Amino acid sequence: PTGSLLYPYGPHQGDETNPKHDDGTSEEIALSVPFTFYGKTYKSAFVNNNGVISFDEPVRQYTPDPFPLVDGPPFVAPYWGDVDNVLGGDIFYRQTTNAALLADISQDITQYFPKSPFTATWALVATWDHVAYYGSTSQKGNTFQAVLTTDSKMFYIILNYWDIQWTTGAASDGDAETGLGGIPAHVGFNSGDDTNFYNIPGSQTDAIINITTTSNVKVPGRW
C-alpha cells in the first residue's frame, strides 16, 4: 500500500509463497549470507506461518509461550499467534541483494542509528499479508513484515506492522468472531538459551493489537 511502512513484497518482487497449511512453514531456506543472532551464526531459516522466523528448525507451535523458552529453538517472533492461511491471506518471503531495496534499508537503519553507518549487502524479507486466524468466522486479517539484514558485521532485524486486526486464534481461547481474548500474540526475540531474550512491550496482552502505533525508533508500527 502507498505510504506503507512495508518494503515491497509479493510474487512480482520474486517472493516465494508458503503452502496453504494450518501451522505450516516454508521449506528450509539456505541463507546465502549467514546470519548471527545472539552471538551464534546460522545458515538456514524457516518462515513459519504462525508469525515466526526460526533458525535451523521449523516452529509449528500455535499458542505462544513467554520468552525465554528454555528448550526452544532460536527464533524471531514478528507476531507469534495462530495464523491460518487456509482461511485467508498469504505468507511471502525472499532473500535479496536488490540494490534499490538494500539502499532503502541502509538509509532507514543509518537514520535510526546515526553513530553506526550501515550499508546492507543482503536481506531476508518475510511478509504476512492479511493473514486470518485459526477458527475465524470473520474477515479479519493481519499484515506485518520482518526483515533480517546485514553488512556481514552488524546484524539487524526490522519489524513492520501495517494492519493488525486480531490477536488470538480460537484454539488459544480466542473469540472466533473477534479474534481477541485468550492468549494474545507474542512479539520478540528468543535466543534459544534460557537467559537471552527480548519481549516487545504489550506482548501476550490485549494491548499487542496496538503495535501499529508503537516503536523504538519513533516510526509508529516499526521496531
Side-chain angles (χ1 to χ4, degrees), residues 109-126:
I109 289 176
T110 300
Q111 182 184 329
Y112 310 141
F113 304 103
K115 290 176 183 166
S116 349
F118 177 77
T119 304
T121 54
W122 168 92
L124 171 67
V125 181

Side-chain angles (χ1 to χ4, degrees), residues 80-117:
W80 185 16
D82 197 357
V83 169
D84 187 348
N85 66 343
V86 178
L87 290 179
D90 285 295
I91 297 113
F92 299 113
Y93 67 92
R94 74 184 179 282
Q95 295 186 75
T96 181
T97 55
N98 176 276
L101 177 64
L102 292 179
D104 286 347
I105 291 171
S106 303
Q107 184 180 345
D108 288 341
I109 289 176
T110 300
Q111 182 184 329
Y112 310 141
F113 304 103
K115 290 176 183 166
S116 349

Side-chain angles (χ1 to χ4, degrees), residues 30-42:
L31 302 179
S32 54
V33 174
F35 194 84
T36 300
F37 182 67
Y38 285 109
K40 289 186 182 167
T41 299
Y42 300 97

Side-chain angles (χ1 to χ4, degrees), residues 22-210:
D22 182 41
D23 304 328
T25 177
S26 69
E27 57 193 41
E28 184 171 8
I29 304 162
L31 302 179
S32 54
V33 174
F35 194 84
T36 300
F37 182 67
Y38 285 109
K40 289 186 182 167
T41 299
Y42 300 97
K43 293 181 176 172
S44 80
F46 293 83
V47 173
N48 304 278
N49 290 5
N50 288 336
V52 167
I53 298 177
S54 54
F55 298 103
D56 288 351
E57 58 186 275
V59 170
R60 298 179 187 277
Q61 183 177 329
Y62 55 85
T63 300
D65 282 320
F67 294 161
L69 305 177
V70 179
D71 55 351
F75 65 87
V76 180
Y79 200 83
W80 185 16
D82 197 357
V83 169
D84 187 348
N85 66 343
V86 178
L87 290 179
D90 285 295
I91 297 113
F92 299 113
Y93 67 92
R94 74 184 179 282
Q95 295 186 75
T96 181
T97 55
N98 176 276
L101 177 64
L102 292 179
D104 286 347
I105 291 171
S106 303
Q107 184 180 345
D108 288 341
I109 289 176
T110 300
Q111 182 184 329
Y112 310 141
F113 304 103
K115 290 176 183 166
S116 349
F118 177 77
T119 304
T121 54
W122 168 92
L124 171 67
V125 181
T127 310
W128 285 257
D129 184 46
H130 203 74
V131 290
Y133 55 93
Y134 180 81
S136 171
T137 59
S138 75
Q139 297 299 308
K140 286 185 170 188
N142 285 348
T143 300
F144 57 94
Q145 184 179 70
V147 178
L148 278 56
T149 188
T150 184
D151 60 2
S152 290
K153 295 184 291 293
M154 295 288 288
F155 298 84
Y156 285 99
I157 296 169
I158 304 170
L159 303 177
N160 293 322
Y161 301 93
W162 182 243
D163 190 18
I164 299 295
Q165 301 181 352
W166 61 265
T167 61
T168 323
S172 311
D173 297 327
D175 182 295
E177 283 181 37
T178 64
L180 305 174
I183 299 174
H186 192 82
V187 182
F189 303 134
N190 186 64
S191 68
D193 63 35
D194 55 6
T195 45
N196 296 293
F197 65 95
Y198 178 72
N199 295 327
I200 282 182
S203 276
Q204 292 209 294
T205 75
D206 294 339
I208 200 64
I209 201 163
N210 300 319

